[in-house]
Amino acid sequence: MSREALIRLYDLTPSQPLLDALSSATASRNIAPVVPRFKGAAGPRAQSFVELHREETLLGRCGINVKGPGTVGACEVAAVVAPAERAGMHWLLVHIALERLQWLGYAYAMTEVSEYADHFPSVLRQAAWWIPDSSERKSAAARDDKSLEWADLFIDFRTWTPSSTPTSLTVNGRDLWVRRPEASEELLIVDWLRETFGGGWASEIHRSFSRDPISSVIVVDRNKELPPKDRLLGFLAYDTARLGMLSAIALVPETRGRDLSLATALIEECLREARASGMTYAVLGGVGNARLAALRAFSALWTIPGSCPGIFGRGVRN
């Protein structure tokens, strides 16, 4: 039976010791070492693959981003590989492909566990989470893990059905608009974020403007009589902290906890943008007190075990 696993790449152990052991095992037979080779790609989201070679002999190949950004598979082991070595070769290919995604800037990767499932190695299993069937529509409480404060949340775009959440809404008497920012707004937004939330989030939204299209969503007050920075109320971005991830939700203090429709609209619009960019799944990074509210609003969201601490808290910030 085929199953899918989400791999926490930040918990992945290196594959080099496995490659060294494979080469050492054949050294006594005067056989050349096994060497990985990567196909160059146009960018970190582009389809690519890794191959294992012994001199000019191809031992196997594994796809990268073939089933969407941040995915690994399918893998093919060449007929020259002995039957007793095929499972190990298969999972070594997967392991190296996962490392490639980590190098490209992903924090998570999705891979199918079907072929040689009985040999799924412990070095991958310890960083894996089995992706649930989102069609079960479990309650938010059933999908939550109360032991995971500031955990990441997973959403599978293949089973997610966007709601009719409007991009124009009224909150506390203010007419608001949730939309992608314009390039001409970059300096204003970056300055506002630095003053309001600090340099970390300012750096993330700055990076979103380097994407094409811009990979962030903002909340804007439609009242043009207000000072420009007073019209900006929140933001959310994807592919900034890491590829395949949404940033933490930033809302100005006066809007927090007042009306959940604003946070829901912000998340949903960012998810729409992320899915339209070609992503198969997304991860919302570091969701704290608002986790249960988010899980209630999106039936396809799941708490990722082992994701706290994840990638956050490792950087040097001012």
Side-chain angles (χ1 to χ4, degrees):
M1 177 179 166
S2 176
R3 299 184 70 186
E4 288 178 317
L6 188 72
I7 308 295
R8 302 184 306 276
L9 298 178
Y10 47 83
D11 286 335
L12 191 64
T13 56
S15 65
Q16 191 59 49
L18 301 176
L19 275 170
D20 292 342
L22 184 60
S23 297
S24 298
T26 57
S28 59
R29 292 179 278 165
N30 295 320
I31 300 176
V34 175
V35 178
R37 297 180 188 175
F38 298 98
K39 175 191 175 184
R45 282 168 158 254
Q47 294 186 18
S48 182
F49 58 79
V50 58
E51 294 180 342
L52 286 176
H53 287 256
R54 182 176 281 127
E55 294 184 327
E56 296 307 312
T57 301
L58 174 65
L59 302 178
R61 173 182 294 176
C62 191
I64 299 170
N65 292 335
V66 174
K67 297 183 179 181
T71 62
V72 166
C75 288
E76 300 176 0
V77 179
V80 297
V81 178
E85 299 174 352
R86 297 180 69 83
M89 191 66 66
H90 170 91
W91 290 116
L92 181 57
L93 281 162
V94 171
H95 196 152
I96 295 171
L98 290 169
E99 283 184 316
R100 184 66 168 182
L101 283 174
Q102 183 182 36
W103 180 81
L104 288 170
Y106 291 86
Y108 292 91
M110 190 164 64
T111 188
E112 190 174 276
V113 181
S114 53
E115 193 173 11
Y116 304 113
D118 292 343
H119 299 275
F120 190 46
S122 59
V123 292
L124 299 184
R125 191 182 297 274
Q126 59 86 27
W129 169 62
W130 298 111
I131 296 174
D133 180 3
S134 295
S135 64
E136 295 176 8
R137 304 300 186 197
K138 291 184 177 180
S139 67
R143 286 181 284 133
D144 191 32
D145 186 337
K146 295 179 176 59
S147 68
L148 296 175
E149 185 179 6
W150 295 104
D152 295 342
L153 300 179
F154 169 85
I155 188 163
D156 191 337
F157 286 141
R158 299 167 301 178
T159 58
W160 175 59
T161 303
S163 69
S164 56
T165 302
T167 55
S168 296
L169 63 163
T170 301
V171 177
N172 297 329
R174 303 178 69 171
D175 292 329
L176 308 180
W177 188 11
V178 181
R179 61 168 172 82
R180 183 194 296 168
E182 301 292 340
S184 60
E185 298 172 312
E186 177 180 3
L187 296 180
L188 170 69
I189 293 172
V190 171
D191 286 345
W192 164 71
L193 270 167
R194 184 184 295 112
E195 295 167 5
T196 308
F197 298 103
W201 276 341
S203 298
E204 286 195 28
I205 197 128
H206 177 70
R207 189 180 188 195
S208 77
F209 280 92
S210 70
R211 307 294 186 195
D212 189 13
I214 296 167
S215 64
S216 57
V217 174
I218 57 174
V219 182
V220 182
D221 193 312
R222 289 183 179 273
N223 185 358
K224 294 183 180 180
E225 295 182 0
L226 291 173
K229 289 181 181 178
D230 289 346
R231 296 181 62 194
L232 298 169
L233 301 179
F235 95 101
L236 184 58
Y238 66 93
D239 276 359
T240 52
R242 291 289 183 90
L243 294 176
M245 290 187 70
L246 273 63
S247 65
I249 305 167
L251 289 170
V252 294
E254 58 265 31
T255 65
R256 296 174 195 165
R258 299 290 183 86
D259 191 329
L260 290 177
S261 64
L262 178 55
T264 301
L266 185 59
I267 294 172
E268 182 137 315
E269 186 62 18
C270 194
L271 290 174
R272 286 194 189 102
E273 293 280 349
R275 188 173 73 167
S277 75
M279 292 165 60
T280 305
Y281 66 93
V283 173
L284 282 69
V287 182
N289 296 332
R291 187 168 69 248
L292 269 178
L295 289 168
R296 288 190 185 98
F298 300 96
S299 59
L301 271 182
W302 298 81
T303 310
I304 303 172
S307 63
C308 183
I311 66 165
F312 299 103
R314 303 185 182 199
V316 178
R317 293 189 179 184
N318 181 3

